């Protein structure tokens, strides 16, 4: 088990290094930043001076080396616009995003796993069909439509919920629902399918033959096995959400999150912020993946043995 | 005689509109073993699941009859019990051991917890006490090192050990009735003998009645006191085991007995053949060896250790040994589906080892394989005419236009109807599917067919038909077979010579009659003595 965890962490470190490198070269591809920052009204001499000042006249290898050194010593530079360390700017924004993510994920799991189990048990009756229709609708409607509908109903017409910012618990309700819509639909479907596979397994019959009541058979023997399949799907969905999924919803509700920040700094060409923002999101995704990998091995002893 | 533990009267079970059991009656007393015998589809398992009232879960329904459960003064009809009473009864007074030890245990729960669950549920013990009781139970079913096993997961145990765990779970509350549904069918003969002895021993200890379901008359002779023979959901004969074997009344019973593979029932004489088709010389295959940047270096396991054997043209060599002895690895190594570590293989005079990929492909045409599981080895999405001609297509032996003609010829050859080529695998029974697998192997025009446990998943009478087909093909086409099985009685019927494999090595080879009548190696003698015999 320990070897497995260590190997997962090592893989995570390698991925991280590759991403750091990719981010460096991808940002260099978009041209000389001096041109964007200072515009046209600058003399040739001043331009050369600035290029030398930013270290852009040294070879790409040297630049890359300096970049690596600063990344690993935690120096990510200053924002072009705000003249503050980018790390501060991004970290201010990361926490609201993380809160929203956690709230959406917990809501999703609380709703979709029980729904999926119900849909699997009552697959032939009305309950199962109703759940699946709702799940399908949720899957078909994009998050921004749900978001706008929610704003129309609960803020504009009924005036029950606040729309802008993350000031109170009430502020969380609509963004959470908007993000969870698709997620609930997807995970309900996956839970149902995973449970259906498990329900027909021989060991479920064994559990019943032991005299366990049905709810215990489903929750103890069924869900634990279904969770192996579920974990990988949930991990992928959460990672996807962390990467880009909440950008649109954050814009709708003016959520002071990282998605909103990334969009703004891309439009305004604030490269240091963009660069660091992309890196932070990548780190988040990698960490989520590693956590899922490790919990996967925890859920399935066969993986532990094979990989440990 | 005392009143029976279970008295079943006029039981009828339906799956949709199909009636699987048609008015079955039987009774089981304490300390008695009643065998319910029949082929698959005869309604034996449906009967077993009905007694536990689990049949509704499988889509069936009990439409008529009574199932009176008693033995201690109170008599209850199992049909009338509610869910609460049933869960109290299941696993406590009536328990069951299933056929598939591989899949019947929860793969993500420790053995100890799975056994302890029964104690927690029915005897209201706390977890620590239940685990202690579970350890005692594992000891009682003679699992070596029981305390260590408590912390292990099912995949760390062999099939035989897993079945012992199932038995431990079933007997934890000392039930009045134990239902065994083909508990040894998935096990090899030596393990089967051990499990049967175990069940008999525990029955004497606990004094429960046993309902033993099987298709194998050999097993019936080993274990049963009384026998009910079932055909298409109806009882065709009921008698004490002694009477049944001495004077079987129903023609169907006699048919079942004749189909059971029996030692000493004679083997084929050597077909006139010339030349050697397969020559294997000191072949070794290692598993799990690895060396690499991020992985620990490992020695691996030598699964096949310096095996040498030959198969002549038109000859069948039977390869026997228990599961895990390296039989399948040897078969795969011969076709280089796994890479052998050392040794040489010559097929039809051409060396297979150290051959280039194209030459290897050509050689593979001459040696085809038939696998154990006819359900898993046919692609469910392909119609039969594409499925069975695929090897011929791959080797460019047939054009797309002639494919259907070839398919029709092949299915006729294996005894299926011509128009079955437009159907899909799921529309065939197990035996028919294995015929399709043989047809697929034949399509490439092979010289040698390697049959890896090809009939082990089939009922005895169906298995008989499939082996008869193989013999027929051998007579008409002069095919050679390498016939692999754990069941020495099946091997005997088809083989000219037998090779006995033990622990990766061939310990004995010789003509069939010589190996069976004058076994030299101790392991061969052990294998032979484990075969259930009909001589009662």
């Amino acid at each position: 088990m320990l070897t497995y965890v260590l190997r997962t962490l090592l893989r995570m470190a390698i991925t991280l290094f590759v991403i750091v490198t990719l981010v460096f070269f991808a940002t260099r591809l978009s041209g000389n930043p001096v041109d964007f920052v200072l515009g046209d009204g600058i003399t040739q001499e001043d331009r050369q001076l600035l290029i030398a000042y930013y270290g852009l006249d040294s070879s790409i290898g040297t630049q890359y080396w300096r970049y690596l050194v600063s990344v690993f010593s935690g120096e990510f530079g200053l924002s072009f616009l705000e003249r503050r360390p980018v790390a501060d700017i991004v970290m201010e924004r990361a926490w609201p995003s993380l809160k929203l993510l956690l709230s959406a994920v917990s809501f999703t799991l609380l709703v979709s796993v029980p729904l999926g189990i119900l849909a699997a048990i009552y697959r032939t009756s009305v309950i199962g069909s109703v759940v699946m229709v709702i799940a399908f609708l949720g899957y078909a409607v994009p998050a921004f439509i749900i978001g706008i509908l929610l704003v129309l109903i609960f803020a504009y017409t009924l005036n029950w919920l606040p729309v802008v910012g993350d000031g109170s618990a009430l502020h969380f309700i609509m963004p959470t629902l908007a993000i969870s819509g698709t997620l609930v639909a997807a995970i309900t479907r996956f839970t149902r399918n995973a449970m259906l596979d498990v329900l027909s397994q021989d060991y479920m019959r064994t559990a019943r033959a032991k005299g366990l009541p049905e709810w215990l058979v489903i929750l103890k023997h069924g869900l634990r096995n279904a969770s192996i399949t579920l974990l990988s799907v949930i991990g992928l969905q959460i990672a996807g959400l962390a990467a880009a999924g909440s950008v649109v919803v954050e814009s709708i509700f003016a959520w002071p999150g990282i998605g909103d920040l990334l969009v703004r700094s891309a439009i305004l060409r604030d490269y240091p912020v963009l660069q660091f923002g992309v890196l932070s999101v990548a780190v988040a995704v990698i960490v989520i993946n590693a956590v899922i990998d490790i919990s996967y091995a925890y859920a399935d002893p066969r993986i532990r043995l094979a990989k440990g | 005689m005392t009143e029976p533990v279970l008295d079943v009267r006029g039981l009828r079970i339906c799956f949709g509109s199909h009636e699987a059991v048609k008015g079955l009656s039987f009774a089981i007393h304490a300390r008695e073993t009643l065998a319910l015998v029949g082929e698959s589809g005869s309604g034996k398992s449906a009967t077993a699941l009905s007694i536990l009232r689990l049949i509704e879960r499988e889509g069936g329904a009990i439409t008529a009859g009574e199932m009176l459960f008693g033995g201690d003064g109170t008599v209850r009809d199992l049909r009338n019990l509610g869910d609460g009473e049933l869960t109290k009864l299941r696993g406590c007074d009536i328990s069951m051991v299933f056929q598939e030890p591989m899949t019947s245990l929860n793969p993500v729960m420790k053995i100890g917890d799975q056994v302890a669950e029964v104690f927690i549920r029915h005897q209201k013990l706390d977890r620590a006490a239940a685990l202690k009781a579970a350890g005692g139970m594992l000891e009682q079913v003679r699992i070596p090192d029981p305390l260590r096993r408590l912390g292990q997961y099912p995949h760390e145990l062999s099939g035989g050990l897993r079945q012992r765990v199932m038995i431990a779970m079933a007997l934890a509350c000392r039930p009045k009735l134990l239902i065994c549904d083909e508990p040894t069918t998935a096990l090899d003969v030596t393990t089967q003998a051990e499990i049967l002895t175990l069940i008999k021993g525990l029955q004497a200890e606990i004094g429960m009645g046993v309902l033993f379901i099987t298709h194998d008359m050999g097993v019936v002779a080993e274990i049963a006191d009384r026998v009910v023979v079932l055909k298409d959901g109806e009882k065709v004969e009921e008698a004490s085991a002694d009477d049944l074997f001495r004077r079987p009344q129903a023609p169907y019973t006699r048919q079942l007995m004749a189909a059971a593979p029996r030692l000493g029932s004679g083997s084929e004489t050597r077909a006139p053949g010339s030349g050697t088709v397969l020559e294997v010389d000191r072949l070794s295959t290692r598993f799990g060896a690895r060396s690499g940047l991020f992985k620990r270096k490992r020695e691996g396991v030598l699964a096949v250790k310096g095996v040498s054997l030959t198969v002549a043209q038109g000859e069948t060599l039977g390869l026997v040994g228990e599961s895990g002895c390296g039989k399948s690895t040897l078969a795969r190594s011969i076709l280089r589906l796994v890479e052998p570590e050392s040794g040489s293989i010559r097929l039809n005079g051409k060396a297979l080892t150290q051959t280039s990929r194209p030459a290897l492909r050509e050689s593979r045409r001459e040696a085809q394989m038939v696998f154990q599981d006819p359900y898993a080895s046919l692609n469910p999405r392909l119609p039969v005419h594409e499925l069975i001609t695929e090897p011929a297509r791959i080797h460019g032996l047939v054009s797309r236009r002639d494919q259907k003609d070839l398919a029709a010829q092949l299915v006729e050859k294996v005894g299926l109807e011509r128009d079955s080529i437009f159907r899909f695998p799921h529309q065939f029974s197990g035996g028919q599917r294995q015929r399709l697998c043989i047809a697929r192997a034949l399509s490439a025009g092979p010289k040698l067919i390697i049959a890896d446990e090809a009939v082990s998943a089939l009922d005895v009478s169906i298995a008989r038909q499939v082996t008869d087909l193989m013999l027929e093909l051998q007579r008409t086409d002069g095919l050679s077979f390498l016939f692999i099985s754990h069941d020495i009685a099946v091997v005997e019927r088809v083989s000219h010579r037998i090779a006995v494999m033990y622990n990766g090595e061939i310990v004995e080879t010789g003509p069939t009659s010589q190996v069976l009548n004058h076994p030299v190696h101790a392991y061969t003698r052990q294998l032979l003595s484990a075969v259930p015999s009909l001589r009662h």
Side-chain angles (χ1 to χ4, degrees):
Chain A
M1 186 67 187
L2 185 67
T3 344
Y4 176 72
V5 173
L6 286 179
R7 206 177 299 146
T8 309
L9 292 177
L10 178 67
R11 226 173 6 217
M12 178 176 137
I14 294 173
T15 319
L16 199 59
F17 179 76
V18 171
I19 288 175
V20 164
T21 307
L22 279 178
V23 166
F24 173 81
F25 287 104
T27 31
R28 298 312 113 155
L29 283 179
S30 59
N32 194 331
V34 174
D35 298 336
F36 289 106
V37 177
L38 301 171
D40 298 329
I42 184 171
T43 64
Q44 200 57 34
E45 291 86 62
D46 287 347
R47 196 171 178 271
Q48 287 309 324
L49 201 68
L50 277 171
I51 287 176
Y53 172 73
Y54 283 123
L56 294 172
D57 54 347
S58 43
S59 73
I60 196 88
T62 323
Q63 285 190 46
Y64 177 56
W65 177 246
R66 275 195 216 127
Y67 164 81
L68 280 187
V69 169
S70 55
V71 163
F72 286 106
S73 59
E75 280 289 329
F76 295 93
L78 303 178
S79 157
F80 287 163
L81 297 165
E82 298 186 37
R83 309 308 302 166
R84 286 199 295 144
V86 289
D88 295 354
I89 297 178
V90 172
M91 282 310 142
E92 274 168 21
R93 298 301 201 94
W95 179 231
S97 275
L98 189 65
K99 277 196 290 188
L100 185 56
L101 184 71
L102 286 178
S103 141
V105 168
S106 348
F107 176 77
T108 303
L109 293 183
L110 279 177
V111 173
S112 58
V113 172
L115 274 186
I117 295 175
L118 279 183
I121 297 173
Y122 298 105
R123 62 188 170 284
T124 48
S125 80
V126 187
I127 305 176
S129 316
V130 169
V131 169
M132 289 329 285
V133 167
I134 295 174
F136 183 72
L137 278 181
Y139 207 65
V141 182
F144 62 89
I145 301 273
I146 300 180
I148 291 169
L149 277 178
L150 287 173
V151 171
L152 265 178
I153 298 170
F154 293 103
Y156 187 77
T157 313
L158 297 171
N159 210 7
W160 286 355
L161 296 171
V163 182
V164 174
D166 66 339
S168 70
L170 284 182
H171 282 90
F172 277 83
I173 296 178
M174 287 199 289
T176 301
L177 288 178
I179 293 179
S180 308
T182 329
L183 217 53
V184 166
I187 292 181
T188 303
R189 291 182 75 94
F190 280 118
T191 310
R192 173 181 180 265
N193 291 349
M195 277 308 283
L196 277 184
D197 277 350
V198 168
L199 284 179
S200 59
Q201 295 291 323
D202 289 348
Y203 52 76
M204 297 293 278
R205 196 178 53 190
T206 309
R208 288 193 189 100
K210 275 184 195 176
L212 299 184
E214 190 62 19
W215 63 270
L216 205 59
V217 173
I218 302 260
L219 293 184
K220 193 170 172 188
H221 290 264
L223 193 57
R224 265 214 64 187
N225 279 284
S227 69
I228 298 168
T229 331
L230 269 185
L231 262 178
S232 54
V233 176
I234 293 174
L236 278 177
Q237 298 276 352
I238 296 177
L241 201 62
S246 55
V247 171
V248 177
V249 173
E250 283 185 4
S251 307
I252 293 176
F253 294 98
W255 197 264
I258 204 163
D260 181 57
L261 177 75
L262 286 184
V263 172
R264 212 159 45 89
S265 48
I267 292 169
L268 300 174
R269 297 192 202 289
D270 195 345
Y271 288 124
V273 174
L274 186 59
Q275 189 168 286
F276 185 69
V278 170
L279 272 184
S280 329
V281 170
V283 169
V285 171
I286 292 171
V287 169
I288 292 169
N289 263 327
V291 168
I292 293 289
D293 262 6
I294 291 168
S295 49
Y296 201 71
Y298 179 75
D300 192 346
R302 288 161 294 187
I303 293 186
R304 238 178 286 166
L305 199 81
K307 293 189 176 176
Chain B
M1 209 171 204
T2 54
E3 69 178 276
V5 177
L6 180 73
D7 192 357
V8 175
R9 295 174 188 169
L11 179 70
R12 286 177 182 273
I13 304 164
C14 286
F15 288 92
S17 59
H18 169 70
E19 191 163 51
V21 175
K22 301 161 187 160
L24 178 65
S25 303
F26 60 86
I28 305 170
H29 295 81
R31 299 177 186 282
E32 181 190 44
T33 301
L34 177 74
L36 201 54
V37 194
E39 289 174 30
S40 47
S42 59
K44 337 183 274 288
S45 292
T47 306
L49 288 172
S50 298
I51 296 170
L52 277 180
R53 292 279 307 280
L54 288 170
I55 192 75
E56 289 91 344
R57 296 248 151 234
E58 316 279 320
I62 303 169
T63 50
E66 297 180 300
M67 296 183 291
L68 303 174
F69 180 70
D72 53 357
T74 58
V75 175
R76 289 177 288 178
D77 186 350
L78 297 175
R79 249 190 102 189
N80 300 332
L81 295 186
D83 278 346
E85 288 168 295
L86 281 171
T87 50
K88 280 204 195 96
L89 203 76
R90 288 181 196 139
C92 185
D93 294 321
I94 307 178
S95 54
M96 188 156 172
V97 176
F98 296 95
Q99 174 171 8
E100 283 296 333
M102 294 299 170
T103 53
S104 291
L105 290 168
N106 187 338
V108 302
M109 263 173 87
K110 286 179 182 162
I111 299 294
D113 286 324
Q114 298 197 44
V115 181
E117 215 175 14
V118 185
F119 290 108
I120 295 171
R121 169 78 193 146
H122 294 295
Q123 300 183 355
K124 312 291 176 221
L125 299 183
D126 61 39
R127 187 163 179 270
L131 275 175
K132 199 159 166 264
M137 218 43 234
L138 293 190
E139 199 172 354
Q140 205 177 353
V141 295
R142 301 183 187 81
I143 290 179
D145 205 356
L147 292 180
R148 191 168 61 88
R149 302 292 178 192
L150 287 177
Q152 287 187 318
Y153 289 94
H155 68 268
E156 298 172 70
L157 270 57
S158 68
L161 281 182
R162 285 189 221 191
Q163 201 58 295
R164 280 171 196 263
V165 172
M166 285 294 292
I167 293 171
M169 244 157 54
L171 296 184
C173 295
R174 306 177 80 84
K176 297 199 186 73
L177 176 65
L178 175 70
I179 304 170
C180 300
D181 188 1
E182 306 257 11
T184 58
T185 308
L187 306 172
D188 51 51
V189 274
T190 39
T191 321
Q192 166 170 299
E194 289 165 18
I195 295 284
L196 291 179
T197 317
L198 177 71
I199 293 176
K200 266 197 276 189
L202 291 170
Q203 183 182 26
E205 220 169 288
I206 298 176
M208 73 262 179
V210 174
L211 175 63
F212 199 99
I213 291 172
T214 181
H215 67 262
D216 190 337
M217 281 306 218
V219 172
V220 173
E222 293 275 300
I223 198 155
D225 300 317
R226 268 184 322 122
V227 187
V228 169
V229 182
L230 209 57
K231 185 180 191 235
D232 298 328
E234 279 171 294
K235 180 159 72 176
V236 295
E237 183 162 3
E238 176 170 357
S240 76
D242 285 340
D243 286 348
L244 188 88
F245 285 102
R246 223 171 282 146
R247 290 179 297 275
Q249 301 296 319
Y252 180 69
T253 312
R254 271 179 246 137
Q255 199 184 318
L256 270 183
M257 284 180 171
R262 222 171 324 173
L263 282 178
S265 61
S267 67
E268 293 296 310
T269 45
R270 171 80 176 263
S274 55
T276 311
V277 172
L278 178 72
E279 223 181 320
V280 175
D281 189 26
R282 280 162 295 167
L283 189 77
S284 294
T285 303
R286 190 181 289 277
F287 264 137
R290 61 183 190 190
S291 56
L293 201 54
F294 295 114
K295 288 170 180 163
R296 275 172 306 179
K297 235 177 159 165
R298 259 202 218 161
E299 277 288 282
V301 182
L302 206 52
V304 176
K305 302 170 187 162
V307 165
S308 302
L309 54 84
T310 58
V311 182
Q313 202 241 316
E315 184 194 42
T316 301
L317 175 68
L319 184 65
V320 273
E322 61 193 2
S323 45
C325 75
K327 309 185 296 283
S328 292
T329 310
L330 175 60
R332 277 151 213 253
S333 305
I334 289 172
L335 291 180
R336 280 183 62 196
L337 294 172
V338 292
E339 283 299 325
E341 186 180 66
S342 62
S344 74
I345 306 157
R346 295 177 77 80
L347 185 65
N348 238 0
K350 280 169 287 192
L352 268 192
T353 31
Q354 293 101 35
T355 316
S356 63
R357 284 271 142 197
L360 181 64
R361 265 187 58 172
E362 174 57 26
S363 296
R364 276 191 187 145
R365 188 181 70 77
E366 295 180 344
Q368 293 286 315
M369 207 156 166
V370 176
F371 297 93
Q372 173 169 10
D373 190 340
Y375 291 88
S377 57
L378 291 170
N379 185 338
R381 309 256 184 266
L382 287 184
V384 165
H385 62 87
E386 282 186 40
L387 199 60
I388 62 173
T389 53
E390 204 177 15
R393 286 278 303 164
I394 290 171
H395 292 288
L397 301 174
V398 64
S399 68
R400 195 160 267 287
R401 239 172 1 139
D402 299 336
Q403 216 171 341
K404 288 200 177 92
D405 290 337
L406 176 66
Q409 287 169 22
L410 286 169
V411 291
E412 278 195 330
K413 201 162 190 174
V414 297
L416 295 172
E417 283 169 30
R418 259 187 110 86
D419 51 356
S420 59
I421 61 168
F422 296 105
R423 293 198 265 157
F424 286 86
H426 68 89
Q427 293 164 299
F428 295 87
S429 69
Q432 288 172 326
R433 285 184 212 211
Q434 207 56 297
R435 285 170 191 266
L436 290 178
C437 292
I438 294 171
R440 176 172 63 183
L442 289 177
S443 85
K447 301 271 192 301
L448 171 74
I449 290 185
I450 300 180
D452 187 3
E453 301 273 10
V455 298
S456 309
L458 305 175
D459 271 2
V460 272
S461 51
I462 311 285
R464 180 73 191 236
Q465 291 163 12
V466 171
T467 48
D468 285 349
L469 171 69
M470 289 181 176
L471 293 174
E472 175 68 30
L473 290 170
Q474 186 162 54
R475 263 194 296 274
T476 53
D477 297 18
L479 283 174
S480 304
F481 282 92
L482 177 59
F483 190 93
I484 300 174
S485 178
H486 63 259
D487 191 339
I488 199 163
V490 175
V491 169
E492 182 209 7
R493 203 165 60 210
V494 296
S495 306
H496 303 108
R497 285 188 304 130
I498 289 184
V500 181
M501 196 160 177
Y502 179 61
N503 214 353
E505 286 172 278
I506 292 204
V507 293
E508 184 163 359
T509 334
T512 302
S513 57
Q514 185 194 318
V515 171
L516 292 182
N517 299 329
H518 312 285
V520 180
H521 197 271
Y523 178 69
T524 314
R525 284 198 286 270
Q526 193 189 330
L527 260 186
L528 286 169
S529 66
V531 175
S533 94
L534 290 182
R535 282 158 294 203
H536 200 61

